[in-house]
Amino acid sequence: MSMSLLNGLRVIEVSCTPRAGFCGKMLVDAGAEVIKLSLPGDEGPGAFSNWLDRGKESVVLDWRTDEGARLLSRLLGSVDVLVSDIECEGPARELAAAAATVPALVHVSTSDLGHSGPFAERPSSDLIVAALSGMCYINGEAGRLPLREPGNQARIVAGIAAYLGVLAAVINRGQSGKGQAVEVSALEALVNVLNPSVLQSSYQDGQPRRQPSAQGFLVDCADGRVSIITSAQRSWDTILDLWGITPSEEDAPKFAEGERRKHHAEIRTFFGPVLASRDRQDVFEEMCAVRVPAGMLMSPADLLTDRHLLAREAFDALTGAEGPARTFPGPGFRVAGERPGADRGVPAFGADTASLLASLATEEVRA
Amino acid sequence: MSRLPLEHIRILDLTQAWAGAYALQLLGDFGAEVIKVESRTRPDPWRGSFAPRALAFYPTVGPGDHPYNRSYLANSVNRNKYGITLDLSSPEGKAMFLDLAKTADVVTENFTPRVLGNLGIGYDVLQQVRPGIILLSMPAFGLSGSYSDFPGIGGTVEPMSGNSWLLGEPGGSAQVSGVMYPDAVAGLNGAAAVLSALRRRDVTGEGSHVEISQLESMTAMLGEFFDDAGLASLGRVGNRDRSLVPNGIFRCAGEEEWVAISVRDDTDWDALVRRLGNATLAAPEFRDAGARRRAENQIEEAITAWTTERTATEAEAELLEAGVPAARVRSMADVIACPQMNATGYLQVLEQPDSLPPAPVPGVIARLTETPGNIRLPAACHGEHSREVLSRILGLDDGTLDDLDARGIIGAGPPPD
């Protein structure tokens, strides 16, 4: 089962990017009923994502026709929230116009670069957002390739921002009785996330910039790598004591607080011999036991067998799909003591159309 | 003036550093009254310590006499909050905290799991003093499982989460982000968890204890990679995309000049090929993403040959004119000057603590058109609002506050000797 936090909340999602798609996924995870609305002809391979669309319902409706528009209007009147990507709201934003006729509806519309302003019409992508946000400029190594976060994280951040917009507006509706339109731009959301770097550029002229190394302090063990954070003086002193390492008096200034990051190569020559014969899991747990922050370098595949994540049931299985078995990371938050996720599948295209339209008709007869 | 969406919500915040502070700033932006409770003796680590430290988060003009109020890290994620100090290890400090909790809707913390209980202010106690209260806990590894008591920070969570494994140049070493990005992701999820629990309380009247595992919130960003038969052989992905080909950042003429280019479909591809004037790429077989995937190295080399002959600004303009998604890689200074950010009023100039000059900051993360959030308060200085908050909410008089201050239970800056 999913979380019970949003039980009873009904949502229509009209999406073609991970912005609205991830927002809808979060809503499903938290217990809302999410109906993914598609246009006829959008079916086919890739219509639904195993990652984003698990647990959603699928309704197909051509809301560009008169009859479809009438049904859309009734459908919107029967739900709490519409979340959409601006790219699929119609050439004149017909979907937004329909939403505006339902006073109690919360409509969160998402874009890459903004609903208005000089960039609104620029062709875009997740990478374009990341490049414009300043993120690529600080990821990677000085003089080498600037990097976005792996995958489509600019748009996922926008999806989380849209979720915040949905809930803030729904909570506000609980007070005022009124819905409203909410706009989320992936560019704005990512710049919001990067607020520390934005302020750094005012506080420190010319900063932030990519550093000569972006590898942090990863050190080799027998079976992989471990990241050990020695920036705090207590952490550094603890490790030297634990492993019996004594830098020469002459070298000591290199290893003062604030200096250590410049001398990772030398620190590796201290730590390397100690760690070469040890397993990363063992080193990670030894460091954590003495309160030194450390982390194993894990591949996505490694995570699936990590004992901590298994104990927390942090992955959910995809059900009902052909091909190899797959599991996906669960939600980013949970109710304490509960297992948040759910094994679930992707709906067949249009699977819920008939039942939804029938329920609308029943409501109409009652009315 | 319109009401703020969370104007009726009071939050007592015990979190430190980035993740928690960011979660609470997001909620404060939507109008919640956030009271950031700091230790009297050890300020939030993102402030540094009372004495200046050899770490690089002070302004160029220097740490000044109050370095703990001059960290750009702390000052970037603590706007819209009241800053108070309370010594929670003293009986009086704890009693005042619980008195405040009696009036609060939400308490937030990011200690390791046992700490709150050891302080005598765990969820069971909070529920007793305030039925329906919501507690958000944000430990690095979650409240359960074998790593739950381990310390964690962005720099260790990122390698654990799978993000570092994927982040890097294809064929190159694993990297960490230029900022402790998993903290920000946990902050987004923390705000989402609180809002979800508030919605549940509105419907059922019941409180909740919600938790973030920073590790899991980061891994949740990588879901797309788990839908891949090649999961076990994944390495560094650079800027390549699972659907768009090509999708990359390319070196231009000049130092640190780069342009990002995405091809979303065959129309973009045709426009790019025409602009590049490359006869080889014009071959009809490349009007297929699968074929382009197989020739991705060759295509990226051809694009680089073109981009390195112009500046990033020139490349961006030429590509946009052709209709190809393109963007010069912007620095933070460029972001501050960005026409989009400024024309839409997203960047706002905010007063900075400790006599530092005002600085542009991003606005509210989602634009509610009827009841928009706003920025009401600059980042709180250490203990800045102790007296105001304890007087307003608990009704303490000046004499009592003077006494608490003198004994180091509340106050601002280094504690009395």
Side-chain angles (χ1 to χ4, degrees):
Chain A
M1 55 179 272
S2 16
M3 289 180 270
S4 61
L5 291 168
L6 301 186
N7 281 357
L9 191 74
R10 297 189 78 213
V11 179
I12 301 276
E13 173 193 316
V14 182
S15 66
C16 46
T17 85
R19 298 192 312 266
F22 194 82
C23 177
K25 177 201 181 295
M26 290 180 75
L27 289 161
V28 169
D29 287 336
E33 177 189 356
V34 178
I35 301 158
K36 183 159 174 157
L37 184 63
S38 306
L39 290 168
D42 284 350
E43 69 260 51
F48 289 148
S49 147
N50 290 328
W51 160 47
L52 295 173
D53 292 328
R54 293 179 308 131
K56 294 176 184 172
E57 295 164 41
S58 169
V59 166
V60 177
L61 178 66
D62 191 351
W63 42 269
R64 299 165 302 188
T65 65
D66 289 347
E67 169 65 6
R70 197 179 66 81
L71 286 169
L72 172 68
S73 185
R74 281 169 45 209
L75 185 54
L76 293 177
S78 74
V79 300
D80 302 286
V81 175
L82 167 66
V83 56
S84 59
D85 286 322
I86 194 169
E87 296 90 336
C88 37
E89 288 177 14
R93 298 198 64 204
E94 291 85 350
L95 195 64
T101 65
V102 185
L105 185 72
V106 168
H107 176 206
V108 178
S109 173
T110 73
S111 66
D112 269 348
L113 303 179
H115 286 65
S116 60
F119 286 5
E121 301 300 323
R122 276 175 76 133
S124 180
S125 70
D126 182 272
L127 179 63
I128 298 299
V129 175
L132 291 171
S133 74
M135 171 161 268
C136 297
Y137 193 84
I138 58 178
N139 280 348
E141 303 188 326
R144 299 186 60 89
L145 186 67
L147 292 163
R148 69 168 174 172
E149 294 295 335
N152 284 270
Q153 294 195 40
R155 286 175 163 178
I156 299 172
V157 163
I160 306 176
Y163 184 91
L164 301 180
V166 166
L167 268 295
V170 165
I171 290 166
N172 181 73
R173 189 182 68 169
Q175 302 283 306
S176 70
K178 291 178 193 155
Q180 61 182 304
V182 180
E183 293 178 358
V184 168
S185 129
L187 178 58
E188 290 181 356
L190 201 54
V191 171
N192 194 291
V193 157
L194 295 172
N195 197 348
S197 300
V198 174
L199 197 61
Q200 184 183 9
S201 78
S202 289
Y203 275 39
Q204 302 176 343
D205 196 31
Q207 294 293 335
R209 303 180 68 83
R210 299 201 298 292
Q211 301 298 310
S213 167
Q215 296 176 33
F217 184 71
L218 285 168
V219 60
D220 291 327
C221 300
D223 63 343
R225 308 182 84 188
V226 171
S227 168
I228 301 174
I229 308 290
T230 60
S231 51
Q233 191 60 37
R234 195 201 68 84
S235 297
W236 176 248
D237 294 341
T238 300
I239 292 173
L240 295 194
D241 189 43
L242 187 69
W243 293 340
I245 295 166
T246 316
S248 70
E249 209 159 299
E250 184 185 333
D251 280 350
K254 291 184 191 169
F255 306 120
E257 188 174 51
E259 296 297 310
R260 290 191 282 276
R261 70 174 62 189
K262 299 172 203 158
H263 301 284
H264 279 169
E266 282 152 289
I267 293 175
R268 281 200 180 85
T269 65
F270 293 149
F271 291 3
V274 179
L275 301 181
S277 61
R278 297 183 54 189
D279 289 347
R280 63 180 183 175
Q281 183 89 32
D282 177 40
V283 175
F284 163 63
E285 297 196 11
E286 180 186 37
M287 287 292 93
C288 289
V290 294
R291 319 305 293 167
V292 172
M296 296 178 277
L297 177 65
M298 310 252 271
S299 72
D302 289 339
L303 294 170
L304 296 173
T305 56
D306 179 76
R307 65 187 173 89
H308 172 78
L309 293 172
L310 287 173
R312 281 177 60 79
E313 300 186 85
F315 288 87
D316 312 319
L318 172 69
T319 58
E322 293 174 7
R326 274 151 289 177
T327 56
F328 288 88
F333 60 87
R334 63 169 77 183
V335 177
E338 289 184 9
R339 183 195 170 187
D343 297 345
R344 56 192 179 221
V346 169
F349 192 76
D352 304 288
T353 307
S355 62
L356 190 83
L357 294 183
S359 73
L360 284 179
T362 309
E363 279 167 32
E364 191 159 76
V365 169
R366 280 201 198 119
Chain B
M1 200 175 118
S2 67
R3 285 174 58 88
L4 294 158
L6 300 184
E7 203 169 281
H8 57 299
I9 302 298
R10 176 176 290 160
I11 305 179
L12 281 183
D13 171 30
L14 295 170
T15 67
Q16 301 186 325
W18 187 0
Y22 182 47
L24 275 296
Q25 174 161 293
L26 291 164
L27 297 170
D29 285 358
F30 287 128
E33 180 192 12
V34 179
I35 300 170
K36 180 182 174 76
V37 182
E38 282 183 77
S39 158
R40 183 70 179 83
T41 50
R42 279 173 46 190
D44 186 328
W46 260 36
R47 293 187 184 281
S49 45
F50 287 123
R53 295 179 66 184
L55 299 173
F57 47 56
Y58 300 119
T60 309
V61 294
D65 292 338
H66 309 100
Y68 46 92
N69 291 332
R70 285 197 166 193
S71 155
Y72 73 79
L73 295 174
N75 291 348
S76 68
V77 288
N78 285 300
R79 74 189 186 206
N80 281 340
K81 298 176 191 176
Y82 296 98
I84 76 167
T85 52
L86 278 181
D87 175 5
L88 291 175
S89 65
S90 76
E92 282 167 290
K94 182 182 145 188
M96 283 190 283
F97 179 83
L98 289 174
D99 283 345
L100 289 170
K102 284 174 192 167
T103 75
D105 301 285
V106 181
V107 171
T108 57
E109 57 97 5
N110 64 348
F111 301 118
T112 46
R114 289 179 199 157
V115 173
L116 209 62
N118 290 346
L119 286 168
I121 51 174
Y123 184 52
D124 50 342
V125 176
L126 294 171
Q127 273 182 304
Q128 279 167 24
V129 301
R130 175 72 162 173
I133 201 163
I134 290 158
L135 174 63
L136 169 68
S137 297
M138 305 180 69
F141 297 105
L143 291 171
S144 62
S146 43
Y147 306 159
S148 60
D149 287 325
F150 292 172
I153 57 175
T156 59
V157 166
E158 190 169 356
M160 295 280 285
S161 71
N163 203 62
S164 288
W165 184 268
L166 299 167
L167 180 66
E169 300 177 23
S173 177
Q175 297 193 9
V176 291
S177 303
V179 291
M180 287 202 180
Y181 174 68
D183 272 63
V185 170
L188 290 167
N189 279 280
V194 167
L195 290 172
S196 309
L198 284 169
R199 155 73 186 176
R200 178 168 182 264
R201 192 191 64 169
D202 281 352
V203 173
T204 68
E206 291 169 15
S208 310
H209 184 186
V210 281
E211 62 159 294
I212 303 292
S213 152
Q214 293 199 26
L215 176 64
E216 287 158 27
S217 62
M218 191 61 229
T219 301
M221 305 295 277
L222 305 174
E224 67 179 277
F225 295 102
F226 289 82
D227 192 18
D228 196 327
L231 179 70
S233 57
L234 274 176
R236 260 55 75 193
V237 297
N239 294 306
R240 289 183 178 179
D241 192 85
R242 294 174 71 249
S243 313
L244 313 186
V245 199
N247 192 70
I249 292 179
F250 300 90
R251 188 183 291 279
C252 299
E255 197 185 335
E256 292 289 25
E257 289 269 320
W258 304 86
V259 69
I261 302 172
S262 290
V263 167
R264 300 165 297 180
D265 51 27
D266 292 341
T267 310
D268 285 350
W269 173 249
D270 291 343
L272 176 68
V273 169
R274 273 198 305 277
R275 178 58 62 177
L276 263 52
N278 183 309
T280 313
L281 297 186
E285 64 260 32
F286 287 129
R287 294 193 85 248
D288 170 78
R292 294 201 294 273
R293 176 74 71 204
R294 289 187 290 277
E296 200 160 11
N297 288 334
Q298 180 197 349
I299 291 169
E300 289 178 352
E301 280 168 25
I303 296 173
T304 303
W306 183 84
T307 56
T308 47
E309 288 177 353
R310 44 202 36 86
T311 66
T313 305
E314 289 162 354
E316 178 189 275
E318 288 184 51
L319 291 165
L320 284 178
E321 190 190 47
V324 179
R328 178 171 63 85
V329 171
R330 306 299 211 265
S331 70
M332 282 301 160
D334 294 327
V335 170
I336 287 172
C338 172
Q340 176 69 19
M341 297 278 116
N342 287 285
T344 56
Y346 189 62
L347 290 175
Q348 301 172 39
V349 175
L350 181 63
E351 194 183 318
Q352 295 298 310
D354 202 39
S355 310
L356 294 171
V361 299
V364 182
I365 198 163
R367 294 172 178 261
L368 278 66
T369 53
E370 300 298 323
T371 60
N374 62 21
I375 305 179
R376 304 173 301 284
L377 292 168
C381 293
H382 182 253
E384 179 180 353
H385 305 101
S386 296
R387 296 181 72 99
E388 188 272 320
V389 166
L390 295 174
S391 150
R392 170 165 58 89
I393 298 176
L394 300 186
L396 302 189
D397 60 29
D398 280 347
T400 308
L401 292 166
D402 289 342
D403 176 57
L404 289 168
D405 205 337
R407 290 189 291 127
I409 292 168
I410 66 165
D417 295 331

